[in-house]
C-alpha cells in the first residue's frame, strides 16, 4: 500500500500513457483517424525523437550541432538495407541495431576531436560532417547512390511509433536529470566554471553528443520504414535545420518543449504542405524572431508540468508588479 | 604537368571568388565574432541583382557590378541592423542560430520571388581564350583574378590607411575601449557589413559570369567553402582569407581533376576539420590564450 502511494503518480502516468496508446490505435482501426492523419502522426513521432535527441546536444550541453541529418541518415540507410533481405520486425530491429552501431562509431570519431572546438567552430565542423556522411552515402554502392533505396517494407504502426517515441523521451528525460545531464547543463552555463568544479568537460560533451547521435539514428530507422524511400538529399542541411527549429521553438533544454514544438511543426507542415516556400520562410522567421525575443525558446530549460506553469504565472505576475 | 598547371589556373580563378567571399566572413567575424551564415546568400542576391540590372535595365557589366555591390552592401547593413544588432549581448549560439535563420530566409524569399527555375546569367562578356604553352586561359579568368586582386588591395587600403579602417581595427580589438575613445561602434559595424557584403556581391557577379546558371541555392555551398577558406587562412585576418580562398579553389579543382568531382566538397569539409584540429587559429593566425 505504501509502495502504491509512493508510485501513485508514476502509475497514473502509465495508465494515461496506456489509454493514449490503445485509444489512438482504436481510432486508427475505426478509420476515425484516416491514413492521411495517421501519417501526420507518424511524422510527429519521428520529429519528437529527433527533437529530443538534438535537444540533448544543443539544449543541455550547449553544443550547436548542424549534422544531425547525417546521423539520421545512418539509421535510415542501415534499416533500409536490413529490411531488404529481412522484411520483418526482426529485420527492423537488426537495422536499428546496425544503425546504432555505425552511428556510435561515427559519432565517437567525430566527437572526440571536434568537441574540443568552441561553439561556432563546432557548428561548422558538424555541418561538414553531415555533408561528408551525405557525400559518402551518395557514392557508395550499397546505398544505391543518388537514387536512394525505395520500396522499403513499411512496418510502421501506431503502437510501434508511440512506444519508440516514448522510450526516446523517457531516456532523454532520465539523461537530463542524471549526473551526466546536470554536468552537461553546467557546461552550457559556464564551461570554465564547471571545469574548475571538476566536471570532465570533453567527456560530458562527447557523451551528450553521442547520445543524441544514437537517438537520431533510431529516428532515421523509423523514417525509413514509415516513408519507405530514403534518398541522400533528404538528410542534408535542410533536415538538420528543421530539427534545429523544433529545438529552438520548444526551448533549449526543455524536452517537453521539443515535444510540443514537434506537434506544432507537424500540424503546420500539414496545413502548409502545398506551400513549400512559404513554410520554409515561416520557419526562418520563427528562428530569427525566437532568438531575438526569447533566446531560450518557449519553455527554456523547464519541463511542462503544473508546478512550472504555476511558477511561470507567478513569476510573470511579479515582474508586472515591480 | 600541363594538366596540373591548367588545374592551377582554373583553381586560381574560382579561388578568387572564394577569397572575396571569405574576406566578408573574416571581417564580420573579426569585428563581432559571428559566423555570418547569410553571407553566402548575400553573394547569391548579388548575382541575381546583377542579372536584373543587365537584362531589365540594360546596364553595362561594370555598372551592373557596381550596382550589385551597392545593393549587397545595403542588404548587409539591413541584415545587421534588423537581425544581429538586437543579439549583440546574447549568447553566441543564439546569434549563430539567427544567422542560419537569415540565411534560410533570404534563400526562400528568393525562391518565392524568382521561382525555383534556373536562370542563365546574360553573357555580356566577350570571352576569348588563348593558349600559352598548352595552357588554356580566357579573358574571364583573367578578369576575375584581376578584379578580385584589385578589390582586395583596395580593401586592405581602406582597413589600414583610412579613418573607418582604423575604427574597424579598434572595434575588433576592444569594443568598449573603442567606444570610450570616441569611435561610433554601431556605425563601424555597419560599415564592416557593408564592405564585406559589397565584396560578396562582386563575387556573385563573377560566379554568374563563370558558371552561367543561377539558382537561389547557389550561395550556400560556396558560402560554406569560403568560410572554410577564411578559417584555413586564420579567421579575422585579411591576407589569411585571400590565401585561404585561393588555396581552397586550387585544392578543389585538383581533387575534381585528379580524383572524383563527387568528392570535391567532402575534401573541403575534411580540410576544415583538420585545420580546426591541428591549428584552430588558422595558417596565419597567432595562437592566443583564452581569456577567463
Amino acid at each position: 500500500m505504501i509502495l502504491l502511494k509512493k508510485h501513485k503518480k508514476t502509475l497514473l502516468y502509465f495508465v494515461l500513457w496506456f489509454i493514449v496508446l490503445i485509444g489512438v490505435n482504436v481510432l486508427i482501426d475505426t478509420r476515425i483517424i484516416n491514413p492521411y492523419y495517421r501519417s501526420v502522426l507518424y511524422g510527429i513521432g519521428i520529429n519528437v525523437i529527433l527533437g529530443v535527441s538534438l535537444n540533448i546536444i544543443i539544449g543541455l550541453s550547449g553544443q550547436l550541432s548542424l549534422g544531425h541529418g547525417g546521423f539520421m541518415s545512418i539509421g535510415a540507410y542501415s534499416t533500409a538495407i536490413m529490411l531488404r533481405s529481412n522484411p520483418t520486425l526482426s529485420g527492423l530491429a537488426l537495422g536499428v541495431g546496425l544503425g546504432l552501431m555505425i552511428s556510435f562509431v561515427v559519432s565517437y570519431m567525430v566527437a572526440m576531436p571536434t568537441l574540443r572546438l568552441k561553439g561556432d567552430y563546432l557548428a561548422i565542423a558538424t555541418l561538414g560532417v553531415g555533408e561528408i556522411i551525405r557525400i559518402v552515402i551518395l557514392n557508395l554502392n550499397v546505398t544505391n547512390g543518388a537514387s536512394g533505396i525505395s520500396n522499403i517494407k513499411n512496418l510502421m504502426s501506431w503502437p510501434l511509433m508511440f512506444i519508440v517515441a516514448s522510450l526516446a523521451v523517457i531516456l532523454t528525460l532520465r539523461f537530463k536529470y542524471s549526473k551526466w545531464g546536470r554536468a552537461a547543463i553546467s557546461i552550457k552555463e559556464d564551461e570554465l566554471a564547471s571545469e574548475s568544479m571538476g566536471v570532465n568537460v570533453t567527456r560530458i560533451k562527447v557523451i551528450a553528443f553521442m547520445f543524441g547521435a544514437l537517438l537520431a539514428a533510431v529516428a532515421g530507422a523509423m523514417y525509413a520504414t514509415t516513408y519507405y524511400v530514403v534518398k541522400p538529399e533528404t538528410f542534408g542541411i535542410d533536415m538538420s535545420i528543421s530539427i534545429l527549429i523544433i529545438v529552438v521553438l520548444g526551448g533549449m533544454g526543455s524536452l517537453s518543449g521539443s515535444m510540443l514544438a514537434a506537434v506544432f511543426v507537424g500540424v503546420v507542415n500539414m496545413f502548409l504542405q502545398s506551400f513549400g516556400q512559404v513554410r520554409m520562410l515561416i520557419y526562418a522567421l520563427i528562428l530569427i524572431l525566437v532568438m531575438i525575443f526569447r533566446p531560450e525558446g518557449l519553455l527554456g530549460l523547464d519541463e511542462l508540468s503544473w508546478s512550472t506553469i504555476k511558477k511561470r504565472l507567478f513569476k510573470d505576475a511579479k515582474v508586472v508588479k515591480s | 604537368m600541363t594538366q596540373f598547371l591548367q588545374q592551377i589556373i582554373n583553381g586560381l580563378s574560382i579561388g578568387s571568388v572564394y577569397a572575396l567571399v571569405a574576406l566578408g566572413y573574416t571581417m564580420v567575424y573579426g569585428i563581432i565574432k559571428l559566423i555570418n551564415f547569410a553571407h553566402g546568400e548575400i553573394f547569391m542576391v548579388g548575382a541575381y541583382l546583377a542579372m536584373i540590372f543587365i537584362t531589365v535595365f540594360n546596364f553595362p557589366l561594370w555598372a551592373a557590378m557596381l550596382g550589385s555591390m551597392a545593393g549587397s552592401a545595403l542588404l548587409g547593413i539591413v541584415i545587421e541592423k534588423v537581425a544581429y544588432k538586437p543579439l549583440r549581448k546574447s549568447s553566441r549560439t543564439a546569434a549563430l542560430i539567427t544567422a542560419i535563420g537569415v540565411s534560410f530566409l533570404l534563400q526562400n524569399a528568393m525562391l518565392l520571388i524568382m521561382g525555383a527555375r534556373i536562370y542563365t546569367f546574360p553573357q555580356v562578356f566577350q570571352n576569348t581564350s588563348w593558349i600559352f604553352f598548352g595552357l588554356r586561359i580566357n579573358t574571364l579568368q583573367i578578369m576575375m583574378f584581376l578584379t578580385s586582386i584589385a578589390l582586395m588591395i583596395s580593401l586592405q587600403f581602406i582597413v589600414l590607411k583610412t579613418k573607418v579602417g582604423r575604427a574597424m581595427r579598434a572595434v575588433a580589438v576592444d569594443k568598449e575601449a573603442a567606444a570610450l575613445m570616441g569611435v561610433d561602434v554601431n556605425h563601424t559595424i555597419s560599415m564592416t557589413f557593408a564592405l564585406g557584403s559589397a565584396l560578396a556581391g562582386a563575387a556573385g557577379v563573377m560566379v554568374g559570369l563563370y558558371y552561367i546558371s543561377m539558382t537561389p541555392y547557389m550561395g550556400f555551398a560556396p558560402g560554406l567553402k569560403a568560410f572554410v577558406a577564411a578559417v584555413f587562412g586564420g579567421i579575422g585576418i585579411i591576407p589569411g582569407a585571400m590565401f585561404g580562398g585561393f588555396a581552397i579553389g586550387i585544392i578543389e579543382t585538383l581533387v575534381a581533376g585528379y580524383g572524383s568531382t563527387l568528392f570535391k566538397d567532402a575534401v573541403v569539409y575534411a580540410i576544415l576539420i583538420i585545420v580546426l584540429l591541428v591549428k584552430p587559429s588558422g595558417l596565419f593566425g597567432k595562437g592566443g590564450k583564452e581569456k577567463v
Side-chain angles (χ1 to χ4, degrees), chain B residues 239-261:
Chain B
M242 291 183 217
F243 175 82
F246 286 120
I248 293 292
I250 289 170
I251 293 169
E252 192 189 274
T253 39
L254 283 180
V255 172
Y258 289 103
S260 157
T261 328

Side-chain angles (χ1 to χ4, degrees), chain A residues 64 66 113 117-118 120-121 123-124 127-129 131 135 139 238 241 252 277 280-281 284 287-288 291-292, chain B residues 35 37 87 92 94 96-98 100-101 104-105 108-109 111-112 224 227 235 262-263 266 269 272 276-277 290:
Chain A
L64 185 52
L66 296 177
L117 304 171
K118 290 275 171 288
D120 24 11
Y121 283 127
I124 304 289
L127 202 159
V129 168
E131 285 294 289
I135 293 166
N139 287 290
D238 283 29
I241 304 254
M252 305 283 221
Q277 255 55 66
M280 293 313 288
L281 213 61
L287 267 186
I288 301 170
M291 278 301 122
I292 292 179
Chain B
I35 298 173
F37 259 104
L87 285 159
R92 272 161 79 172
L96 199 59
I97 292 175
T98 313
I100 295 170
F104 258 56
L105 187 73
N108 287 294
L111 264 173
L112 208 60
L224 279 179
F227 174 76
I235 199 149
L262 286 165
F263 278 109
Y269 296 121
L272 170 79
L276 287 179
L277 295 177
E290 192 186 343

Side-chain angles (χ1 to χ4, degrees), chain B residues 106-175:
Chain B
L106 288 178
Q107 207 178 78
N108 287 294
M110 191 55 94
L111 264 173
L112 208 60
I113 298 167
M114 305 296 277
R117 60 171 274 217
I118 299 169
Y119 282 88
T120 50
F121 199 89
Q123 290 308 294
V124 282
F125 195 75
Q126 284 302 324
N127 203 0
T128 43
S129 46
W130 296 291
I131 293 177
F132 293 111
F133 309 111
L135 299 174
R136 179 181 290 273
I137 186 162
N138 59 36
T139 350
L140 181 59
Q141 286 176 320
I142 297 173
M143 192 279 276
M144 280 164 74
F145 188 74
L146 292 182
T147 314
S148 54
I149 293 286
L151 285 173
M152 286 172 211
I153 291 173
S154 35
L155 178 73
Q156 193 74 332
F157 175 79
I158 292 174
V159 170
L160 291 178
K161 301 284 179 204
T162 64
K163 216 172 160 183
V164 182
R166 201 180 307 140
M168 280 177 192
R169 282 180 290 143
V171 174
V173 174
D174 191 329
K175 221 176 282 173

Side-chain angles (χ1 to χ4, degrees), chain B residues 1-10 135 250 254 258:
Chain B
M1 191 60 199
T2 319
Q3 202 206 344
F4 179 76
L5 287 176
Q6 182 66 59
Q7 302 289 2
I8 298 276
I9 290 174
N10 295 345
L135 299 174
I250 289 170
L254 283 180
Y258 289 103

Side-chain angles (χ1 to χ4, degrees), chain B residues 78-98:
Chain B
V78 170
I79 289 172
E80 197 273 326
K81 289 270 183 248
V82 175
Y84 299 153
K85 200 176 164 211
L87 285 159
R88 229 173 258 166
K89 293 239 167 355
S90 47
S91 76
R92 272 161 79 172
T93 311
L96 199 59
I97 292 175
T98 313

